[in-house]
Amino acid sequence: MHSFNYKKGVLHCENVSMEEIAKQHPTPFYLYSSKTIMDHFCKIKNAFKEIDPLICFSMKSNSNLSICRALVNAGSGLDIVSGGELYKALKTGCPPERIVYASVGKTEDEIRTAIRKGILFFNIESVPELIMIDTVAKKLKKKPNVALRINPDVKARTHDYITTGTKEKKFGIDTRVAEEIFDNANKYSNVVLNGIHLHIGSQITETAPFVRAIKKTLDFIEKNGIDIKWFNLGGGFGIVYNSERARSAKEFARALLPIIKDKPYKFIFEPGRFIVGNGGVLVTKVLYVKTGSGGKQFAIVDAGMNDLLRPSLYEAHHDILPIVKSKRESRKYDVVGPICESGDYLALDRKMPEIIPGEYLSVMSAGAYGYVMASNYNSRPRGAELLVKNGDVKTVRRRETYQDLIRGEKNIP
Ligand code: PLP
């Protein structure tokens, strides 16, 4: 469900014509619907209202300040994974007591700053990290909260690169090690060990892996008589990109609430993709259409893998829609970018109405893990981020210039 729909043959974002937006802003650019993003936040909040969870939007999926700020103003907290995200989270006005910090590689500096700022808690990924946080806390004479991230060894059907809850992955702590940590909690006297964290992966469209992981972890907590206040269930709720049948927030709630609602913990969710994924698109213009030497049709557009990495990195599917609907006959195209890599594509063998140079295309469901993964590869300035809100189009990040490309760089003779 989203607010990108055709009206009289022209794709609109909410009530604004995307053809008009594309004529007024250089492509490529990201375009977000404020309504879609806020609706998805509310969907999770309402579906789980029985347990009144703290929802910490996962900034790694989209860290645009205006988007995060809107969510924070609606009551969201933020899930961060770096000092940079902490810096941005505080800029949005997010109260530190609504910030949770994951990452297998937090540096001493990042830990120090997060403790000083008074975040809600750290999600701990290893014993050496726990020792580091304990040591830094001692020096600062503070006592931060920490939650152990359990690796429940539960596999979810998703891309291997975004699977995080199985034994062979770098994330989380084995339950035997976690047990030892809780048994010897007095060794870590400068932290308050009062939480458990789980995050088994991203773009998970079934409920069963969540149920399995939570049940396994609850068993672990109860069997060992572990006393915690916070149970952070992580993110991972999947969305529809293609033909998958994703679950609604209500369906996730129907599966999870029966096993958690009577537990005496304060629950946290860290959704990213579910909130912003379908709330953003990447708008691009067709530069050329060429027939390859093997007879293949290539539509060459002005957005490449530096703008949207997901197809190249995960072989991810994104629907691509013409901004102005056409009745031209359909053909198969590879929709490719200008980058000097054969892996630079947005779609392969995609059947689309005949594509013509100069037309605008909308790469759908690009709101999560889109701009945040964009780069300057091939010295290409990153495009703008635009937000439609109450009928207005706001530039929430300007397009980069060539000067931006050399910012901080030395031109030594
Ligand atoms: N929490 C943690 C610890 C993560 O690593 C991630 C992303 O992988 C998320 C939350 C957000 O996941 P998603 O965008 O699938 O909801």
Side-chain angles (χ1 to χ4, degrees), residues 154 156 198-201 203-216 233-238 252 255-256 259 269:
V154 166
L198 267 186
H199 174 75
I200 57 172
Q203 183 52 16
I204 300 170
T205 53
E206 299 162 309
T207 56
F210 291 105
V211 170
R212 269 202 309 280
I214 294 170
K215 275 189 173 162
K216 245 178 144 171
L233 299 173
F237 295 164
F252 280 118
L256 303 191
I259 49 176
F269 286 102

Side-chain angles (χ1 to χ4, degrees), residues 56-61 79-81 100-103 123 125 149 161-162 164 171 197-204 210 232-238 269-276 368-369:
C56 291
F57 170 63
S58 191
M59 280 187 94
K60 70 176 75 65
S61 64
D79 155 47
I80 63 166
V81 285
V100 292
Y101 190 169
S103 157
N123 294 317
E125 303 261 5
R149 177 171 178 175
Y161 292 0
I162 47 176
T164 58
F171 299 98
H197 178 221
L198 267 186
H199 174 75
I200 57 172
S202 193
Q203 183 52 16
I204 300 170
F210 291 105
N232 180 351
L233 299 173
F237 295 164
F269 286 102
E270 301 172 333
R273 194 187 307 270
F274 188 90
I275 293 178
V276 287
Y369 307 101

Side-chain angles (χ1 to χ4, degrees), residues 301-362:
V301 300
D302 64 2
M305 64 191 284
N306 73 300
D307 299 295
L308 179 64
L309 187 58
R310 298 190 70 257
S312 307
L313 184 63
Y314 308 126
E315 296 175 352
H317 173 102
H318 286 265
D319 280 347
I320 301 182
L321 301 179
I323 286 189
V324 178
K325 242 186 192 167
S326 88
K327 294 202 169 74
R328 294 185 293 271
E329 225 170 275
S330 286
R331 296 182 176 191
K332 266 195 184 163
Y333 293 93
D334 280 8
V335 181
V336 300
I339 299 266
C340 303
E341 300 262 354
S342 293
D344 174 31
Y345 66 87
L346 299 175
L348 297 179
D349 280 329
R350 186 69 59 84
K351 205 163 177 200
M352 292 184 59
E354 185 190 355
I355 295 177
I356 53 171
E359 79 169 305
Y360 296 113
L361 302 176
S362 176

Side-chain angles (χ1 to χ4, degrees), residues 3 52 75 135 146 149 171 191 235 244 304 317 327 331 411 413:
S3 302
D52 189 25
T135 310
V146 300
R149 177 171 178 175
F171 299 98
V191 299
E244 59 274 79
H317 173 102
K327 294 202 169 74
R331 296 182 176 191
N411 195 2

Side-chain angles (χ1 to χ4, degrees), residues 52-71:
D52 189 25
L54 172 63
I55 296 179
C56 291
F57 170 63
S58 191
M59 280 187 94
K60 70 176 75 65
S61 64
N62 188 321
S63 63
N64 183 280
L65 289 176
S66 301
I67 288 175
C68 294
R69 174 181 286 260
L71 289 164

